[in-house]
Amino acid sequence: MRIGELSKRSGVAVPTIKFYLREGMLPPGERTSPNQAQYDDSHVRRLRLVRAMVDLGGLSVAAVRDILATVDSPTDDLDKLMGTVSKGLTQAPEEVDETALDEVFDLIEDLGWLCNREHPAARSLALVYTAAREIDHPQLIAAMRRYAEASELIAKADLDYVENFSGIDRVLESVVVGTVLGDSALAALRKLAQTAESHRRYGSDDPVE
Amino acid sequence: MRIGELSKRSGVAVPTIKFYLREGMLPPGERTSPNQAQYDDSHVRRLRLVRAMVDLGGLSVAAVRDILATVDSPTDDLDKLMGTVSKGLTQAPEEVDETALDEVFDLIEDLGWLCNREHPAARSLALVYTAAREIDHPQLIAAMRRYAEASELIAKADLDYVENFSGIDRVLESVVVGTVLGDSALAALRKLAQTAESHRRYGSDDPVE
């Protein structure tokens, strides 16, 4: 198909497609003339993946390139792939307090989770520990164990969700979409569950505010 | 104490304190002379609450005012209070697809959660449903039931956490802190749990990347 049709099929504007092409986020089409190229379904899928990462994930061009490099390096190592994407989706804080990071890894080992010390999510969790102490809410740290147990259920649902898909682009897309949309969904569900639980504990029988 | 001491004790700069005073986010101190006022521990606590809402919660001055109005209206209705804060912390989307909202409430009723149709979190969840369909990932919606069950565990931990505190300011502060820092913590824990679960399912015995 021509770039116009690619734009129609993918819902991505032509100038944006051209930007992705220039940035190497989308493989070039097959030249049919000096100023014309043909694209196929792989381009539609790739565009959807790039959009999921940029629009939903808020990923930088550089982060998207890293992830696509992993996609395009022939691999069936889903473990490694999940790691790359999930890390690309996490802003690793510059500096973390090593003592807080130790605490985080006490929890991680306690749970029997395998993950190394450089994992950005471990570092951003350490940042939360530090912030909680700074604002005099160390009690929040005590809740982490139960948060972690709930997170295990979530992660199992996440991996089952990813297993709905086949084809590396779709799998990756599902990881990005699941992580990004999933975080919004979980934040919302948490508030709804808080409302329900709070009503269960303290509520009158009036309709909930 | 004088405003300088209040600044030292609260870690909030004097100009910021003056802004909060002007905006009615901090009750005035007791005038001891035309250009001097005395502040007490209640001001320190209130400043910490305001900072939790502004810095951590990213709340607007207006949202903070709403919440403080609830705090200052004598009430021990923790249910109502939780609702106000948790709603103040959620951006309610302008427009939602009513069909998606119906789906959300099918789930909510299914779970036996009490919450009304105007709850901003229900509306932002409806937005996720719509987005998931638009990008051709309806499978994500099937995961919501398990997400919701995990969210119930999280909400129970949240309410137990809030019950650590007494005094309306501290309770509210704990709701804000728990919701905001908690969301970051949960997003991080989810990624760590994904890494661990993915390693469990697909991993070799190499140390995790």
Side-chain angles (χ1 to χ4, degrees):
Chain A
M1 70 194 88
R2 303 258 199 90
I3 193 163
E5 172 69 12
L6 177 61
S7 169
K8 213 175 283 126
R9 294 252 324 260
S10 62
V12 180
V14 171
T16 310
I17 296 178
K18 288 181 171 168
F19 169 79
Y20 291 156
L21 286 164
R22 277 199 308 279
E23 293 294 330
M25 293 153 84
L26 187 68
E30 192 185 322
R31 285 242 161 275
T32 52
S33 87
N35 49 16
Q36 225 172 77
Q38 286 292 322
Y39 302 90
D40 57 29
D41 290 343
S42 71
H43 291 89
V44 179
R45 281 194 305 277
R46 173 58 56 97
L47 269 177
R48 194 161 55 188
L49 174 58
V50 169
R51 251 188 62 206
M53 293 193 281
V54 174
D55 299 352
L56 299 174
L59 264 64
S60 67
V61 170
V64 171
R65 274 217 210 84
D66 284 357
I67 292 172
L68 293 178
T70 322
V71 189
D72 296 333
S73 64
T75 173
D76 55 1
D77 184 345
L78 195 50
D79 188 25
K80 179 151 177 276
L81 223 47
M82 290 276 306
T84 316
V85 178
S86 140
K87 283 169 194 170
L89 288 166
T90 317
Q91 266 107 345
E94 293 308 308
E95 289 188 355
V96 295
D97 168 37
E98 289 298 320
T99 323
L101 196 55
D102 290 339
E103 273 183 284
V104 167
F105 274 88
D106 289 344
L107 175 64
I108 287 175
E109 275 148 36
D110 213 30
L111 292 155
W113 292 0
L114 262 176
C115 123
N116 75 18
R117 205 168 166 91
E118 296 318 305
H119 197 306
R123 303 179 75 80
S124 53
L125 185 56
L127 222 58
V128 172
Y129 278 36
T130 308
R133 288 230 169 70
E134 274 171 0
I135 57 176
D136 188 22
H137 280 261
Q139 299 91 333
L140 188 65
I141 295 169
M144 290 302 155
R145 172 80 200 213
R146 287 166 72 186
Y147 282 171
E149 283 159 359
S151 303
E152 282 186 330
L153 300 180
I154 292 165
K156 285 184 189 350
D158 288 334
L159 273 280
D160 291 346
Y161 164 70
V162 168
E163 287 174 1
N164 287 323
F165 300 89
S166 57
I168 194 63
D169 268 22
R170 282 293 277 172
V171 168
L172 265 175
E173 188 184 295
S174 70
V175 175
V176 176
V177 169
T179 304
V180 176
L181 281 191
D183 276 350
S184 327
L186 286 161
L189 283 165
R190 181 187 176 203
K191 293 206 183 68
L192 292 170
Q194 283 175 348
T195 303
E197 178 67 16
S198 142
H199 192 70
R200 212 172 286 127
R201 294 191 188 191
Y202 323 111
S204 58
D205 296 335
D206 321 342
V208 180
E209 276 300 315
Chain B
M1 72 193 86
R2 304 260 198 88
I3 193 161
E5 171 69 12
L6 177 61
S7 168
K8 212 175 285 126
R9 293 244 335 250
S10 62
V12 180
V14 170
T16 310
I17 295 178
K18 287 181 170 168
F19 169 78
Y20 291 156
L21 285 165
R22 276 199 308 278
E23 293 294 329
M25 293 153 83
L26 188 67
E30 191 186 321
R31 286 242 161 272
T32 51
S33 86
N35 49 14
Q36 223 172 79
Q38 285 290 324
Y39 302 90
D40 57 30
D41 289 344
S42 73
H43 291 90
V44 179
R45 280 195 306 275
R46 173 58 56 99
L47 269 177
R48 196 163 52 189
L49 174 57
V50 169
R51 249 188 63 204
M53 292 193 280
V54 173
D55 300 351
L56 299 174
L59 264 64
S60 67
V61 169
V64 170
R65 273 217 210 82
D66 285 355
I67 293 173
L68 293 178
T70 322
V71 189
D72 296 333
S73 63
T75 173
D76 55 2
D77 184 346
L78 197 50
D79 189 23
K80 179 150 177 280
L81 223 47
M82 289 278 306
T84 315
V85 178
S86 141
K87 282 169 194 169
L89 288 166
T90 316
Q91 267 107 344
E94 293 307 309
E95 289 189 353
V96 295
D97 169 38
E98 289 299 320
T99 323
L101 196 56
D102 290 339
E103 273 183 284
V104 166
F105 274 87
D106 290 343
L107 175 65
I108 287 175
E109 275 149 35
D110 215 31
L111 292 156
W113 292 0
L114 263 176
C115 120
N116 75 18
R117 207 170 164 89
E118 296 317 306
H119 196 306
R123 304 179 75 80
S124 53
L125 186 54
L127 222 58
V128 172
Y129 277 39
T130 309
R133 287 229 170 72
E134 274 171 0
I135 57 175
D136 189 23
H137 280 260
Q139 299 91 334
L140 188 66
I141 295 168
M144 290 302 155
R145 173 82 202 211
R146 287 167 71 186
Y147 282 172
E149 284 159 359
S151 303
E152 282 186 328
L153 299 180
I154 293 166
K156 285 184 188 356
D158 288 335
L159 274 279
D160 292 345
Y161 164 70
V162 169
E163 288 175 0
N164 287 322
F165 300 89
S166 59
I168 193 62
D169 268 20
R170 282 293 276 173
V171 168
L172 264 175
E173 187 184 295
S174 71
V175 175
V176 176
V177 170
T179 303
V180 176
L181 281 191
D183 276 349
S184 324
L186 286 161
L189 283 165
R190 182 186 176 204
K191 293 205 183 67
L192 293 169
Q194 284 174 349
T195 303
E197 177 68 17
S198 145
H199 192 69
R200 211 173 285 125
R201 293 191 190 192
Y202 321 111
S204 57
D205 296 332
D206 320 341
V208 181
E209 273 304 310

